[in-house]
């Protein structure tokens, strides 16, 4: 187990190095939008496409530029990123921050905040399935254009790329980011250079920097408003990923990368595409690639393929972060989580989520077979998440920052003024594939709600039968309980009640070890637990000891070795001789339970059975572990 006493100081990455890694993880999704966003503004939606006049081209570019400014730069980068929950970002961290800060909120309000957070996180899970599928499919389809012989191998090649992409996730987002970072940096520099090339040939497009051009465009083309806004929104997909991936790199690298590299490259490229189409309208078939000189188009296709494949990384790492937060908040059962960085608690790898997303992406690719078929499902999940974040921002600004109702309401209203039209436009996609992320998100939220419901019922049931520790100590003092030699360790919560496993041991075996350790384990928000905070020990008397064991997030939670090294001699703890007693409950259904409760209980039981076992997680010696089963009626 690593610790500061090893003599090796944890070296923090420099801002340029962290920014380079962030480029490879955080900005891939939003960075590939120039491949299709501007083109879709003038694609034939129905029988009446938007006229591609010089004024309309400038207007469309203006809408995209100001969407990037208002939604990404101002809302997320400058404001929302400040709302971190001990370094973690994302919609679930935001809801947790609100609930912990707003002590004055009533139970109903606190529950609604949690529900919004769960809904938003569920939508990100859905988007985490669709984004990799679309990104990889579009990448492989781009290669098949330059190499038609590969056209029949699009699906197998896409599946192969997905397998390779998910296989490297176990190395950690920091290392993956360093691998992807130079590619994405090259991509954004190329975006800017190509866009500048088009602007020089037609500088009139700089008028798009004025918001008036975009407003007048919407007014003039009001009958195309919904398709236009749905296409414009494609330029800001990936904005929520900036917040979800906050814990991986922190605020400074994300802000530095956005304002110095990403935002300038995107704006220049969108303006360049508008400039190209103003004097070469037939380039609408592929305005991004036709910005480049002919000799550079094949290398650009290869670079775009790599960038599009990397684009899915932001959603994958965001799903890892959300899962970790959900487990910590008790919204999901315990799963195996690997911390892959010595300096950032947010850099995590969740094998179960990685496998699930890989399987889901492969199924989507094989089923839909093309990025066009999946296009209808893209966008609705992201705009719903952004809108939920705006609603949560109001409560966060009031609770965490102490803003007045007027100030918080005004800023939230400005967010919604921009996002609600995007939501209305994307709602038209529901019948054309948008139902898919909604069903996936609904399923994910149903699982989380079932776990919360089951845990609440379980806690209430156990609380009714719990025994205060003082009562146990009194019985021990009277000699009513037979004692046997040795040490037993019982996993315990923070409360003052006897662990259920200990009660079941007394009920069935009617004996207790001469030394009993009631152990509570917690993970700190720092890489390593220092000597003063790693162990809390209280001798309760009668051979019973309460122990709080703390690990840093970069430490290995090896409970036996930690207890051996840190417990005082009076406990006489020997890892190879101690008995570790764990509870394993099975759940029954009460006679008065409704049909819905029976279904939810069955699902809760399945989730509980498949949770990561404490034996492996805490490095307990299997030969010294005793599990006491109990039937609990809920």
């Amino acid at each position: 187990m690593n610790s500061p006493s090893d003599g090796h100081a944890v070296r923090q990455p420099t801002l340029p190095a962290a920014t380079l890694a962030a480029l490879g993880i955080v900005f891939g999704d939003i960075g590939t939008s120039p491949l299709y966003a501007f083109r879709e503004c003038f694609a034939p939606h129905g029988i009446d496409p938007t006229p591609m006049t010089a004024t309309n081209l400038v207007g469309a570019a203006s809408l995209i530029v100001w969407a990037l400014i208002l939604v990404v730069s101002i809302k997320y980068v400058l404001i929302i990123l400040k709302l971190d929950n001990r370094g973690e970002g994302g919609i679930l961290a935001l809801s947790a921050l609100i609930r912990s800060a707003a002590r004055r909120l009533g139970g109903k309000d606190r529950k609604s905040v949690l529900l919004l957070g769960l809904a938003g996180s569920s939508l990100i899970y859905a988007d985490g399935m669709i984004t990799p599928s679309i990104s990889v499919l579009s990448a492989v389809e781009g290669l098949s254009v330059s190499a038609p012989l590969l056209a029949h191998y699009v699906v197998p090649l896409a599946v192969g790329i997905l397998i390779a992409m998910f296989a490297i996730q176990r190395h950690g987002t920091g290392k993956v980011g360093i691998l992807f970072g130079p590619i994405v940096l090259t991509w954004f520099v190329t975006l800017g250079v190509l866009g500048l090339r088009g602007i020089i040939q037609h500088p009139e497009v700089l008028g798009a920097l004025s918001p008036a051009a975009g407003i007048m465009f919407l007014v003039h083309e009001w009958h195309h408003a919904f398709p236009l806004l749905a296409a414009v929104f494609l330029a800001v997909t990936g904005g929520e990923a900036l917040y979800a991936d906050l814990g991986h790199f922190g605020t400074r690298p994300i802000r530095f990368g956005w304002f110095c590299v990403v935002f300038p490259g995107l704006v220049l490229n969108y303006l360049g595409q508008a400039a190209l189409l103003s004097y070469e309208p037939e380039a609408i078939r592929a305005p991004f690639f036709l910005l480049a000189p002919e000799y550079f188009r094949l290398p650009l296709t290869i670079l775009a393929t790599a960038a599009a494949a990397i684009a899915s990384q932001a959603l994958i790492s965001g799903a890892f972060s959300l899962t970790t937060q959900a487990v910590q908040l008790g919204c999901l059962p315990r799963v195996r989580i690997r911390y892959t960085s010595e300096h950032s608690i947010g850099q995590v790898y969740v094998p179960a989520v990685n496998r699930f997303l890989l399987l889901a992406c492969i199924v989507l690719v094989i089923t839909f077979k093309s990025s066009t078929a999946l296009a209808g499902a893209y966008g609705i999940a992201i705009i719903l998440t952004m809108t939920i974040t705006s609603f949560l921002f109001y409560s966060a600004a009031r609770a965490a920052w102490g803003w007045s109702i007027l100030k918080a309401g005004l800023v939230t209203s400005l967010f919604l003024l921009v996002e609600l039209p995007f939501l209305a436009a994307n709602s038209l996609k529901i019948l054309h594939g948008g139902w898919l992320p909604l069903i996936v998100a609904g399923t994910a939220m149903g699982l989380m709600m079932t776990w919360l419901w089951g845990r609440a019922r379980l806690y209430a049931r156990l609380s009714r039968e719990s025994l205060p520790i003082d009562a146990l100590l009194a019985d021990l003092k009277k000699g009513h309980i037979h004692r046997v030699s040795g040490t037993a360790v019982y996993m315990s919560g923070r409360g003052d009640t006897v662990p259920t496993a200990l009660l079941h041991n007394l009920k069935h075996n009617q004996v207790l070890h001469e030394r009993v350790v009631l152990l509570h384990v917690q993970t700190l928000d720092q890489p390593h637990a220092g000597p003063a905070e790693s162990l809390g020990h209280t001798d309760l008397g009668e051979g019973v000891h309460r122990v709080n064991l703390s690990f840093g997030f970069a430490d290995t939670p090896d409970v036996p070795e930690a207890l051996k090294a840190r417990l005082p001699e009076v406990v006489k703890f020997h890892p190879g001789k101690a008995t570790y007693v764990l509870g394993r409950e099975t759940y029954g259904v009460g006679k008065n339970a409704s049909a819905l409760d029976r279904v939810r209980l069955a699902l809760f039981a399945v989730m509980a059975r498949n949770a990561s076992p404490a034996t492996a997680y805490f490095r307990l010696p299997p030969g010294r572990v005793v599990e006491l089963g109990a039937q609990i009626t809920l």
Side-chain angles (χ1 to χ4, degrees), residues 578-608:
T579 300
Y580 305 87
V581 186
L582 305 178
R584 178 172 290 273
E585 295 85 10
T586 56
Y587 307 105
V589 184
K591 295 181 179 179
N592 297 326
S594 64
L596 177 60
D597 283 350
R598 293 176 184 274
V599 173
R600 297 171 77 185
L601 180 58
L603 183 57
F604 174 75
V606 170
M607 296 173 72

Side-chain angles (χ1 to χ4, degrees), residues 8-83:
H8 300 288
V10 177
R11 185 175 180 180
Q12 299 285 345
T14 62
L15 179 59
T19 302
L20 184 65
L23 284 175
I25 297 296
V26 178
F27 299 110
D29 189 11
I30 198 169
T32 54
S33 297
L35 287 169
Y36 46 80
F38 197 82
R39 179 194 66 205
E40 288 300 308
C41 290
F42 297 94
H45 299 284
I47 60 174
D48 187 22
T50 306
M52 199 161 44
T53 64
T55 302
N56 285 354
L57 288 167
V58 173
S62 178
L63 287 177
I64 289 177
V65 169
W66 281 93
L68 289 171
I69 292 173
L70 296 175
V71 176
V72 184
S73 297
I74 295 179
K75 176 186 175 181
Y76 281 98
V77 178
L78 293 181
I79 299 178
I80 298 294
L81 286 186
K82 294 180 180 179
L83 289 168

Side-chain angles (χ1 to χ4, degrees), residues 469 472-473 488-493 495-499 502 512 515-521 536-538 540 543-549 563:
I469 291 180
L472 173 66
L473 295 175
V489 178
Y490 293 86
M491 302 301 293
S492 173
D496 294 325
T497 58
V498 179
L502 194 153
L512 198 65
R515 289 179 299 277
V516 175
V517 175
L518 306 180
L519 176 64
H520 174 70
V521 179
H537 170 249
T538 303
L540 301 178
V544 180
H545 303 264
R546 187 202 304 277
V547 176
N548 293 322
L549 192 59
L563 291 176

Side-chain angles (χ1 to χ4, degrees), residues 371-393:
S371 58
T372 301
L374 269 171
Y378 198 51
I380 184 66
I382 302 174
I383 186 57
L384 278 172
T385 306
M386 287 184 173
T387 305
I388 291 172
T389 300
S390 294
F391 280 111
L392 288 175
F393 169 80

Side-chain angles (χ1 to χ4, degrees), residues 22-294:
L23 284 175
I25 297 296
V26 178
F27 299 110
D29 189 11
I30 198 169
T32 54
S33 297
L35 287 169
Y36 46 80
F38 197 82
R39 179 194 66 205
E40 288 300 308
C41 290
F42 297 94
H45 299 284
I47 60 174
D48 187 22
T50 306
M52 199 161 44
T53 64
T55 302
N56 285 354
L57 288 167
V58 173
S62 178
L63 287 177
I64 289 177
V65 169
W66 281 93
L68 289 171
I69 292 173
L70 296 175
V71 176
V72 184
S73 297
I74 295 179
K75 176 186 175 181
Y76 281 98
V77 178
L78 293 181
I79 299 178
I80 298 294
L81 286 186
K82 294 180 180 179
L83 289 168
D84 68 287
N85 185 15
R86 293 181 292 182
E88 285 288 352
I91 196 166
L92 200 56
L94 180 60
S95 64
L97 174 67
I98 296 169
R99 289 184 296 119
S100 62
R103 302 297 183 188
R104 63 181 179 277
L105 291 177
K108 182 179 179 180
D109 292 329
R110 292 166 67 86
K111 184 177 180 180
S112 65
V113 167
L114 176 62
L115 290 177
L116 283 175
L118 294 180
S121 61
S122 300
L123 288 163
I124 290 183
Y125 279 120
D127 196 45
M129 294 168 47
I130 297 174
T131 297
S133 305
I134 288 182
S135 299
V136 173
L137 272 174
S138 62
V140 178
E141 289 166 355
L143 285 175
S144 67
V145 170
S146 10
L149 293 177
L150 297 177
H152 297 293
Y153 300 97
V154 166
V155 172
L157 286 173
V159 170
I161 292 174
L162 282 169
I163 292 174
M165 179 182 301
F166 281 96
I168 66 174
Q169 296 301 318
R170 65 179 183 272
H171 297 294
T173 53
K175 295 177 181 177
V176 171
I178 291 296
L179 175 65
F180 289 163
I183 300 174
V184 178
L185 177 61
T186 303
W187 170 253
F188 282 114
V189 171
T190 303
L191 288 183
V193 172
L194 292 178
L196 188 60
R197 183 173 180 265
I199 294 171
I200 291 173
Q201 296 181 27
H202 195 74
E204 289 83 356
V205 296
L206 292 174
L209 298 177
S210 168
I215 294 174
M216 292 305 297
F217 175 45
L218 276 182
V219 171
H220 186 259
E221 298 292 339
W222 59 269
H223 50 294
H224 296 121
F226 274 172
L228 276 171
L229 289 176
V232 168
F233 182 73
L234 295 175
V236 298
T237 55
E240 183 72 26
L242 272 65
Y243 186 38
D245 284 328
L246 175 63
H248 291 253
F249 301 101
T251 303
R252 289 187 65 209
I254 294 177
R255 284 181 174 166
F256 187 78
W258 173 256
F259 285 113
C260 294
V261 180
V262 180
F263 181 65
L266 292 175
V267 170
L268 288 172
N269 195 266
Y270 285 122
L271 294 182
Q273 291 189 46
L276 170 67
L277 293 174
S278 65
Y279 62 83
E280 192 178 333
E282 61 274 14
I284 187 61
R285 68 185 187 277
F288 173 79
F289 290 102
L290 293 175
L291 261 180
E294 187 172 354

